[in-house]
């Protein structure tokens, strides 16, 4: 066991003395030491209940014959950070979390690891650390929040974001928005739809690193406590069996995870995160893999925000095991941390509601929910959640309205300084230029709330998993490094064709050459975390990882 480095031999008497001060007994000195990375905090709704899950994990570790040691990690609530400077810190926090877990695992020589987390960057950071450290590991995701409810309708956070636009349009009063605000989020858990947090939970289960059913169980359901305890027990078995994350994270399991993502119509952010996880596991993964898998994977779950169904509905329909059951002829067998293979899990599952988890013969659409687009505006690629784009906007050509930053675009949108048919271009919000690729949920939700139906939005920043509509993000190269998006001017025609996966700037090359000669990158004075991040981050098409 790795932990013998801190507890075996007379030379380790000082180390053991410190362990004994924690209450570790002689018997426990001979047992596997398990790190429990807990993202509990009192500011993120998806995290406020994680302490109770970690306690159950620790009970399970003890029952399995190990010793559990909890430690904390940070966590940013993207919803609270949205729309202001705080959002620049969200994506960089992913690397911070991965580093923090690695530091604790390696410094204390844990034999195994259980990661207890929820929300957009926390679970990806923990998965990156698990792949990097490569000690037996299980992830327990904290579960979705129950839907809100008012006036006979289920609600989610996106209703509140879009309510801002409705107030600006005069379709809702500020008092009505206040009532909506108080009703939409009834308690702990990750936001209710298939936004980034819940997409990553589903992807983690499909990847094989969570126990079956874990992803969709609501945060407040006792089944979540049980799966946490079972995960604690199971990780001790994994230590004894020598099963490590890189035995689970393989090209096959990554393909399976992408297929499930495509079938669900998940968040565009999973492209960044899966590429980062694959890199930590030493597995090549590029953007074209997503397109190839998406073309042959039917979209079978019409989930929020593009569709009507919440994560609670998915849970009641059978969760990810039921999705796997529907996809079992599209996926390849692979091991999981449960000890059962992915196809064994699929064979043992059933679909409780075929309206929510459809058959592959009667899908929402014949192809997956995400597409990678390329063209003269995005030579190295960009990402769109096509599952949330109405068919009328799969092909669109319109004049650019260009904004050097989200704040200016938001101001123009709320003042109705945008016309139907426009293509809103928000730039200098990429990994380096943002820095941190802030999400654009506020402007996209405002467009929806104001009632626009034929406005597209293109950015080198990111979109929340809650974004719906013709919104293309992750444009690479970004504006800050001189990508073509830096050269767009108001009135330039932008052509979008999701059928052909094209994103083009319809400006002749000579004009662009003249503009490039006159272009100078803007200077932003940075300090601290953002300065370090901007110096070392890769482009979005490489996962926005740090070099």
């Amino acid at each position: 066991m790795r932990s013998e480095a801190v507890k075996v031999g007379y030379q380790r008497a000082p180390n053991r003395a410190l362990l004994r001060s924690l209450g570790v007994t002689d018997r426990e000195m001979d047992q596997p030491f398990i790190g429990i990375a807990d993202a509990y905090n009192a500011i993120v709704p998806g995290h406020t209940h994680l302490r109770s899950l970690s306690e159950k994990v620790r009970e399970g570790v003890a029952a399995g014959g190990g010793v559990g040691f909890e430690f904390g990690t940070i966590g940013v609530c993207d919803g609270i950070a949205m729309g202001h400077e705080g959002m620049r810190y969200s994506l960089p926090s992913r690397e911070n979390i991965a580093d923090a877990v690695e530091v604790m695992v390696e410094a204390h020589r844990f034999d195994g690891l259980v990661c207890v987390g929820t929300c957009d960057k926390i679970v990806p950071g923990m998965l990156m650390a698990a792949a990097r450290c490569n000690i037996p590991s299980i992830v327990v995701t904290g579960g979705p929040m129950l839907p809100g409810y008012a006036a006979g309708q289920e609600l989610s956070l996106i209703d509140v974001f879009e309510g801002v636009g409705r107030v600006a349009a005069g379709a809702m009063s500020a008092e009505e928005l206040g009532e909506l605000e108080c009703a939409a989020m009834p308690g702990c858990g990750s936001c209710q739809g298939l936004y980034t947090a819940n997409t990553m939970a589903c992807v983690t289960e499909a990847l094989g690193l969570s126990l079956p059913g874990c992803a969709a169980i609501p945060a407040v359901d006792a089944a979540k406590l049980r799966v946490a305890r079972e995960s604690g027990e199971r990780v001790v078995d994994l230590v004894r069996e020598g099963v490590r994350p890189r035995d689970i994270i393989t090209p096959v399991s990554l393909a399976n995870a992408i297929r499930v993502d495509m079938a669900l119509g998940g968040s565009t952010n999973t492209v960044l995160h899966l590429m980062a996880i694959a890199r930590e596991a030493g597995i090549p993964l590029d953007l074209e893999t997503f397109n190839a898998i998406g073309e042959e994977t039917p979209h079978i779950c019409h989930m929020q925000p593009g569709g009507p169904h919440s994560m609670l509905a998915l849970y009641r329909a059978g969760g990810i095991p039921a999705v796997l059951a529907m996809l079992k002829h599209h996926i390849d067998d692979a091991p999981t941390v449960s000890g059962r293979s992915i196809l064994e899990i699929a064979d043992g599952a059933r679909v409780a509601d075929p309206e929510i988890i459809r058959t592959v013969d009667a899908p929402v659409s014949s192809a997956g929910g995400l597409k990678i687009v390329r063209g003269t505006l995005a030579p190295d690629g960009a990402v769109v959640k096509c599952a949330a784009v109405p068919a009328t906007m799969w092909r669109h050509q319109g004049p650019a309205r260009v904004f050097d930053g989200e704040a200016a675009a938001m101001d123009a949108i709320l003042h109705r300084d945008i016309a139907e048919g426009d293509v809103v271009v928000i730039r200098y919000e990429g990994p380096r230029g943002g820095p941190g690729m802030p999400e654009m949920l506020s402007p996209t939700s405002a467009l929806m709330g104001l009632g626009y139906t034929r406005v597209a939005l293109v950015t080198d920043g990111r979109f929340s998993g809650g974004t719906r509509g013709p919104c293309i993000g992750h444009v690479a190269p970004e504006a800050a490094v001189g990508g073509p998006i830096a050269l767009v001017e108001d009135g330039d025609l932008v052509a979008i064709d999701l059928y052909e996966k094209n994103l083009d700037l319809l400006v002749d090359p000579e004009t662009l050459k003249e503009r490039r000669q006159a272009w100078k990158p803007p200077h932003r004075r940075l300090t601290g975390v953002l300065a370090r991040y901007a110096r070392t981050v890769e482009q979005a098409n490489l996962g926005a990882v740090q070099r």
Side-chain angles (χ1 to χ4, degrees), residues 159-175:
D159 293 293
V160 187
F161 270 101
E162 293 186 3
V164 173
R166 295 181 66 193
V167 171
M172 175 184 281
S173 69
E175 290 75 17

Side-chain angles (χ1 to χ4, degrees), residues 385-537:
K385 183 192 281 193
C386 54
V389 180
T392 54
M393 287 296 289
W394 274 50
R395 284 197 179 99
H396 180 72
Q397 181 173 303
R401 289 298 314 282
V402 183
F403 301 94
D404 290 348
E406 177 190 9
M410 186 65 175
D411 184 67
I413 291 167
L414 290 179
H415 284 89
R416 285 190 168 277
D417 191 22
I418 301 295
E420 289 282 21
D422 284 351
V423 178
V424 175
V425 177
I426 305 178
R427 63 190 179 192
Y428 298 111
E429 297 286 20
R432 189 178 301 178
M437 288 188 82
E439 292 182 345
M440 304 292 152
L441 180 58
S442 293
T444 61
S445 296
L447 287 168
M448 292 294 108
L450 282 162
Y452 287 99
T453 60
R454 295 196 56 78
V455 172
L457 197 153
V458 176
T459 181
D460 52 9
R462 295 182 296 123
F463 292 115
S464 163
T467 290
R468 63 189 178 100
C471 302
I472 300 175
H474 308 194
V475 169
E478 63 175 299
V481 300
I485 192 172
L487 308 179
V488 186
E489 294 184 359
D490 276 345
D492 289 348
L493 287 180
V494 175
I496 298 167
D497 189 333
L498 300 188
Y499 296 102
E500 299 297 327
K501 300 185 284 292
N502 291 336
L503 176 63
D504 289 306
L505 176 60
L506 304 183
V507 176
D508 68 86
E510 281 302 312
T511 299
L512 290 178
K513 184 178 179 181
E514 291 173 7
R515 291 180 188 177
R516 182 170 297 284
Q517 289 172 345
W519 174 78
K520 293 181 180 179
H523 175 72
R524 180 192 289 269
R525 186 178 180 277
L526 299 170
T527 60
V529 170
L530 294 183
R532 291 194 297 273
Y533 186 80
R535 284 196 302 269
T536 59
V537 69

Side-chain angles (χ1 to χ4, degrees), residues 297-432:
T297 304
H299 174 208
I300 61 173
C301 298
H302 207 192
M303 303 290 293
Q304 296 173 352
H309 301 309
S310 67
M311 285 297 294
L312 178 63
L314 181 64
Y315 172 60
R316 290 172 173 168
I320 296 305
V323 174
L324 293 170
M326 281 300 183
L327 293 176
K328 64 183 179 182
H329 297 301
H330 288 76
I331 61 177
D332 295 314
D333 211 5
T336 76
V337 292
S338 70
R340 299 160 60 199
S341 76
I342 203 78
L343 286 180
E344 287 175 333
I345 293 168
D347 286 337
R350 70 178 186 88
V351 176
D353 189 338
E355 289 299 312
I356 294 168
I357 303 175
R358 301 189 186 185
T359 67
V360 296
D361 296 324
V364 179
S365 66
S366 60
L370 298 176
K371 285 184 184 288
I372 308 301
V373 296
R374 296 181 188 272
T376 54
L377 188 52
D380 292 339
V383 185
V384 60
K385 183 192 281 193
C386 54
V389 180
T392 54
M393 287 296 289
W394 274 50
R395 284 197 179 99
H396 180 72
Q397 181 173 303
R401 289 298 314 282
V402 183
F403 301 94
D404 290 348
E406 177 190 9
M410 186 65 175
D411 184 67
I413 291 167
L414 290 179
H415 284 89
R416 285 190 168 277
D417 191 22
I418 301 295
E420 289 282 21
D422 284 351
V423 178
V424 175
V425 177
I426 305 178
R427 63 190 179 192
Y428 298 111
E429 297 286 20
R432 189 178 301 178

